[in-house]
Amino acid sequence: MIKFGYTILYVENVEASIVFYENAFGFSRKFITPDNDYGELITGETTLSFASKKLASQNLKEGFIESSLANKPFANEIGFITDDVAGMVQKATSFGAVLIKEPTEKPWGQIVAYVRDLDGFLIEICTEVQG
């Protein structure tokens, strides 16, 4: 058996990232380590996790490309599904998310918007795709 368990974002400040996602999206904190170098949010079936760049450096000795608002986003995104895309975008930006693309209806009927978080990670806020 295998399942998708979590996504880990390497961030500057784990506590600040957890607080941002709690406030901007309403997720609940699962835990943060005593050293504040790793934390998880309860987001549904899949956990969203955060590791400090220092901890990531210990695990990835050859280094990694850091996310930053000063650079273009990576060629991936995390996606959050909601019935109220515009409302969620407004809430996220009120807590510091950077608006990339206003809510837009796709040809298949899905509403999609894009923001970036405090560390520059790309977030899609969208309605569920109807099959």
Side-chain angles (χ1 to χ4, degrees):
M1 186 213 61
I2 188 167
K3 73 175 190 174
F4 184 30
Y6 50 87
T7 294
I8 302 174
L9 304 179
Y10 298 156
V11 298
E12 198 64 45
N13 183 315
V14 171
E15 175 72 24
S17 292
I18 293 277
V19 169
F20 167 76
Y21 279 84
E22 286 173 326
N23 291 329
F25 300 107
F27 296 128
S28 298
R29 183 181 307 213
K30 186 173 181 182
F31 78 94
I32 296 180
T33 61
D35 292 336
N36 287 326
D37 60 356
Y38 180 80
E40 294 182 351
L41 290 170
I42 300 168
T43 61
E45 183 78 16
T46 304
T47 300
L48 182 57
S49 307
F50 304 88
S52 68
K53 292 177 182 178
K54 181 179 176 186
L55 180 62
S57 295
Q58 294 169 3
N59 295 331
L60 302 170
K61 299 292 185 193
E62 299 297 318
F64 54 91
I65 299 171
E66 295 185 23
S67 181
S68 168
L69 282 170
N71 300 321
K72 290 182 180 181
F74 295 132
N76 62 6
E77 62 190 57
I78 54 176
F80 299 141
I81 297 171
T82 181
D83 291 333
D84 182 11
V85 174
M88 189 58 62
V89 167
Q90 192 282 323
K91 184 177 179 185
T93 56
S94 75
F95 286 103
V98 176
L99 180 65
I100 301 301
K101 184 158 177 60
E102 293 279 352
T104 305
E105 184 171 353
K106 297 293 186 181
W108 52 90
Q110 183 185 34
I111 306 296
V112 177
Y114 293 93
V115 299
R116 291 180 75 185
D117 75 2
L118 305 177
D119 287 278
F121 290 101
L122 187 62
I123 302 168
E124 178 182 326
I125 302 171
C126 61
T127 56
E128 194 162 2
V129 175
Q130 301 299 314

